[in-house]
Amino acid sequence: MNKNTDLPDTISIFPLGGALLLPRARLPLHIFEPRYLQMIEDALKTDERLIGMIQPNETSARKGTGLQTIGCAGRITQFSETEDGRYMITLGGMSRFRVVSEVEGFSPYRKCDVCWDGFERDLGSDEQDAGFQREAFLDLLGRYFDAQGLSADWDTMKEADDELLINSLSMMLDLDQEGKQALLEAPSLETRRETLITLIEFSLRGGLDEGFMQ
C-alpha cells in the first residue's frame, strides 16, 4: 500500500483506446469480455474496488508493456448485471498513476505495479481555472459542434463549474488516442483547457491528417 495515498501498489489494468478517465470525473463502461468480467468481479471483492484505465501504446518509442506510461485509476461506484451476464459499471476517477512494471501471473487480465507519486493533487478538491475565458471558449466549442453535427445543452455548459466542463468535454469529445493522452497528462486544469483548445482548433482547421476528424 502506498504510504502517501493509501492506494495499492498493484492494480488491475484495463487498456482501452480512446477511453479517458480523469480524477473526480465519472466514466460509464459496458463490460462483456470474459477476462474483464472476471476483473470486475475480483475488484468488487476488494476494499478499494479500483480499476486502472490506460491507453494502449504500440509505438516503437515505448516497447515492453504496450501501454502508455500514465493512466488513471477509478473506483467502481455503480454496478449492475444484465440478464445475459454483461456488467454495466461506473468508475469514479480517483488518481492518475505511472506504470512501473507489468505483473506476471495467471490472471486472465493484466495487472501492473504502479506509482502514485506526483499526482497527489488528484485526491484533493475540485480545481479552478482563473484564466478561463468561458465566452470565447463556448464560441469555439459551438463552431466545433456545428462542424461535427453535434448538439449541446448550452445553458448547462454556461453554468457548469470549470473542472466539470473541461474534464467532461475532454472525456466525451471524439479525439484520437494521442489527444486523449495529452489531456490526461496535463499537469493542471489550466493546461488541460489549453490543450483542449489546441485540439479543437486543430480539428476545425482539418488537421494534418484524419486523426482529429472522425
Side-chain angles (χ1 to χ4, degrees), residues 26 28 44 49 75-80 88-92:
R26 295 184 179 276
L44 288 169
R49 294 187 291 175
R75 178 180 173 86
I76 301 174
T77 58
Q78 293 182 329
F79 166 85
S80 63
M88 308 296 290
I89 70 169
T90 299
L91 291 181

Side-chain angles (χ1 to χ4, degrees), residues 100-121:
V100 176
S101 61
E102 186 160 5
V103 176
E104 301 295 333
F106 298 102
S107 170
Y109 52 87
R110 302 174 72 173
K111 296 181 179 180
C112 285
D113 289 332
V114 299
C115 176
W116 309 94
D117 293 346
F119 301 115
E120 291 81 6
R121 180 66 184 83

Side-chain angles (χ1 to χ4, degrees), residues 38-88:
Q38 184 64 55
M39 179 184 67
I40 299 303
E41 291 176 0
D42 291 346
L44 288 169
K45 297 174 184 176
T46 67
D47 292 336
E48 298 87 7
R49 294 187 291 175
L50 289 182
I51 300 293
M53 299 299 300
I54 197 165
Q55 300 272 348
N57 182 8
E58 303 299 339
T59 64
S60 58
R62 292 177 180 173
K63 296 180 180 178
T65 63
L67 303 172
Q68 291 284 354
T69 301
I70 296 174
C72 183
R75 178 180 173 86
I76 301 174
T77 58
Q78 293 182 329
F79 166 85
S80 63
E81 184 175 4
T82 64
E83 291 184 358
D84 59 358
R86 293 173 289 121
Y87 291 154
M88 308 296 290

Side-chain angles (χ1 to χ4, degrees), residues 161-180:
D161 291 340
D162 295 351
E163 183 178 80
L164 177 62
L165 178 61
I166 297 302
N167 285 357
S168 296
L169 289 168
S170 296
M171 292 171 62
M172 73 176 228
L173 293 186
D174 190 13
L175 305 171
D176 74 358
Q177 291 189 36
E178 290 184 2
K180 295 283 189 179

